[in-house]
Amino acid sequence: MRVLVVTAVAAEAEAVAATGDTGTLPRGGYTLTRAPGLDVLAAGVGPAAAAAATATALTLADEPYALVVSAGIGGGFTGRAPLGSLVVSDAIVAADLGADTPDGYLPVDELGFGRTVHHPPAALSARAAEALGAAHAPVLTVSTVTGTAARAAELAVRHPRAAAEAMEGFGVAEAAAAHGVPVLEIRAVSNAVGPRDRAAWRIGDALAALRDGFGRLTPVLQEHL
């Protein structure tokens, strides 16, 4: 059984597939890169694009996928995920899907309209984190990347265990859940969550960590799936 890996952009997909791609495969307006055990898809930025592309790939698959993985670079919370490190999700959280109220933020599930958390398979996510030497913690999905200290502090208070934020995980997870496929999220940290400082970003280091991580992850997936 194969694993579908969904990234936002081509550079992330190339890092994931660097374990040895074997060609490409069209899928309803998208193109999958086929690597040993993996089909890798660059879906676009944000939860909506990620959900649409993931759902398309799952619907048009020649055979069922055993797992969907949301992967790429992201921001790390200071003190929990340093630059160049990896984070494996134990929860995939929609951090800004809800409503502002006079009494503070209310997530959409507390409003009675849906859910804000997906949980990956516990044993698989723990084993993957161990194999990668990664933080094993919630990864937040945001539609707007955090760019201020105040916003970072707010997220840290609401999600005290979170180690990283990115923009696609929850969208990927929603599509996977609709198809009954388990999901995992893996992030390589390129920048700190907080004030926007492009000069301090380490995108190259994060992509290298992502590439190395998937080289070590594939045997773990083969063992557990």
Side-chain angles (χ1 to χ4, degrees):
M1 306 254 329
R2 298 185 67 79
V3 173
L4 176 64
V5 182
V6 183
T7 71
V9 298
E12 295 166 326
E14 290 165 5
V16 170
T19 51
D21 64 87
T22 58
T24 58
L25 193 65
R27 276 291 181 267
Y30 302 94
T31 300
L32 300 175
T33 298
R34 181 151 277 192
L38 309 175
D39 288 343
V40 187
L41 171 63
V45 175
T54 303
T56 299
L58 291 171
T59 299
L60 299 180
D62 294 330
E63 59 181 318
Y65 287 103
L67 177 73
V68 179
V69 180
S70 176
I73 64 176
F77 283 91
T78 301
R80 301 172 203 164
L83 300 186
S85 69
L86 293 169
V87 178
V88 174
S89 62
D90 65 4
I92 300 169
V93 183
D96 54 11
L97 182 60
D100 281 327
T101 78
D103 297 320
Y105 173 81
L106 285 178
V108 72
D109 42 1
E110 291 187 22
L111 295 170
F113 297 126
R115 60 187 163 194
T116 57
V117 182
H118 288 274
H119 292 284
L124 175 59
S125 66
R127 179 69 184 94
E130 179 185 20
L132 301 184
H136 189 215
V139 177
L140 307 184
T141 300
V142 295
S143 295
T144 301
V145 171
T146 299
T148 66
R151 174 64 170 164
E154 177 191 347
L155 289 175
V157 168
R158 284 203 273 118
H159 306 282
R161 292 187 56 250
E165 73 164 25
M167 300 182 74
E168 292 78 35
F170 191 79
V172 172
E174 284 282 275
H179 284 261
V181 184
V183 66
L184 186 66
E185 185 167 9
I186 297 172
R187 291 290 162 182
V189 177
S190 59
N191 57 279
V193 176
R196 188 173 173 83
D197 180 8
R198 287 293 300 266
W201 291 6
R202 297 293 180 266
I203 292 176
D205 291 343
L207 290 173
L210 190 66
R211 181 169 56 250
D212 177 67
F214 268 86
R216 288 179 283 148
L217 181 66
T218 301
V220 175
L221 298 180
Q222 292 172 345
E223 173 189 340
H224 279 262
L225 298 176

